[in-house]
Amino acid sequence: DGEVYDIFKEVEKTGQILAIHAENNEIIQRLTKQVEDSGRRDYEALLEGRPNLAEEMTIQSGIAMAKKLGTRLHILHVSTGEGVKLVRQAQAEGYPITSETCPHFLFLSNEDYEKVGPQMKVYPPVKYKKDQDELWRGIQDGTVSIVCSDHAPHTEEEKDGDLWSIPAGMCGVETLAPLLLNAVSVGKITLKQVCDLLSENPAKQYGIYPNKGSLAVGTDADITIVDMNVEMIIKRENLHSKS
């Protein structure tokens, strides 16, 4: 924590953003060992080893340091309802704290493990339906301002093994936009919100707007054209990344 404090202090001097992966390593190491010692290898055991508390504690610590030192704090791949609520409270108090989440947290929950299997293993892990619901609320009220891929591809052979021994991570670059566009089709969000979450908000946050994240004359012509009437099924064999 002392080292992290120094990092917050140094980054504050630059005026830049400090982005953190919010999982408390000491809690995870201790609880995971307890679960492993019990012999359990199921997905619920994985979640017990990396509980919501691990994210909640790290976000609490990060927010406390950011408040004290004035650091611009960004919470990467928020996966819990507790995390959303902590960021929402800090924003309401006027602190420059932002957050993002990922499609696997928005479209999967622990209930999907039986169908998806070990390929679903990612850190932070996909949590519960209540967390998914709070993440969508965070998107609606602006607490969560970016949706990112957290792209971490692995081969089929690497991921099709024992839950505890395979690597964590899944590909997301190619599926990120289609999944959010599908959320538009089912009425969860609007096309404007998709543009904000994937383009305008990150460009503004990282200081590259309007050259990125806008359609203003003279800016980079990074344009995605979509047909909202096309129906598709995401299949592993159609993805360009190893997956």
Side-chain angles (χ1 to χ4, degrees), residues 27-50 121 123 162-166:
I27 288 285
I28 288 169
Q29 294 297 324
R30 181 168 289 254
L31 295 184
T32 296
K33 185 178 186 307
Q34 291 174 5
V35 173
E36 287 181 332
D37 290 347
S38 75
R40 290 176 56 201
R41 316 289 284 181
D42 55 294
Y43 189 74
E44 193 59 37
L46 182 78
L47 292 184
E48 287 180 22
R50 303 181 84 95
K121 182 182 178 182
Y123 292 154
D162 173 68
L163 175 64
W164 291 85
S165 59
I166 61 171

Side-chain angles (χ1 to χ4, degrees), residues 27-240:
I27 288 285
I28 288 169
Q29 294 297 324
R30 181 168 289 254
L31 295 184
T32 296
K33 185 178 186 307
Q34 291 174 5
V35 173
E36 287 181 332
D37 290 347
S38 75
R40 290 176 56 201
R41 316 289 284 181
D42 55 294
Y43 189 74
E44 193 59 37
L46 182 78
L47 292 184
E48 287 180 22
R50 303 181 84 95
N52 287 32
L53 178 65
E55 179 170 286
E56 182 179 6
M57 288 179 66
T58 305
I59 293 177
Q60 279 180 328
S61 296
I63 288 174
M65 290 189 190
K67 285 181 176 181
K68 182 69 176 177
L69 297 168
T71 315
R72 293 174 63 197
L73 176 63
H74 183 65
I75 316 296
L76 301 167
H77 38 61
V78 175
S79 66
T80 66
E82 291 90 341
V84 175
K85 291 171 184 176
L86 286 167
V87 173
R88 182 183 289 123
Q89 180 181 342
Q91 290 175 348
E93 294 171 3
Y95 292 99
I97 294 167
T98 52
S99 66
E100 65 186 46
T101 193
C102 310
H104 36 277
F105 302 131
L106 294 172
F107 297 97
L108 296 172
S109 75
N110 66 312
E111 298 170 14
D112 294 296
Y113 183 77
E114 189 174 330
K115 178 175 64 177
V116 179
Q119 292 86 353
M120 202 170 92
K121 182 182 178 182
V122 64
Y123 292 154
V126 171
K127 306 293 198 316
Y128 303 98
K129 189 68 168 60
K130 64 180 178 64
D131 299 299
Q132 185 187 90
D133 292 341
E134 192 61 43
L135 286 164
W136 280 109
R137 277 192 285 273
I139 283 175
Q140 290 295 354
D141 67 17
T143 303
V144 178
S145 53
I146 297 173
V147 178
C148 67
S149 69
D150 198 25
H151 187 73
H154 298 282
T155 64
E156 188 171 345
E157 292 74 25
E158 286 176 306
K159 291 291 283 190
D160 285 343
D162 173 68
L163 175 64
W164 291 85
S165 59
I166 61 171
M170 63 179 78
C171 68
V173 166
E174 202 167 355
T175 51
L176 173 62
L179 284 167
L180 285 183
L181 290 170
N182 190 67
V184 174
S185 296
V186 299
K188 270 188 172 288
I189 51 176
T190 65
L191 273 174
K192 173 65 167 62
Q193 284 176 301
V194 173
C195 294
D196 291 343
L197 292 164
L198 298 186
S199 184
E200 186 171 331
N201 290 348
K204 286 179 175 176
Q205 176 154 317
Y206 291 101
I208 54 175
Y209 184 88
N211 209 43
K212 305 289 186 184
S214 83
L215 293 174
V217 174
T219 60
D220 291 354
D222 300 329
I223 298 169
T224 300
I225 299 172
V226 303
D227 184 343
M228 295 299 288
N229 295 313
V230 168
E231 293 187 5
M232 63 173 285
I233 297 172
I234 295 172
K235 293 185 177 180
R236 179 151 46 184
E237 59 265 28
N238 294 335
L239 299 177
H240 293 78

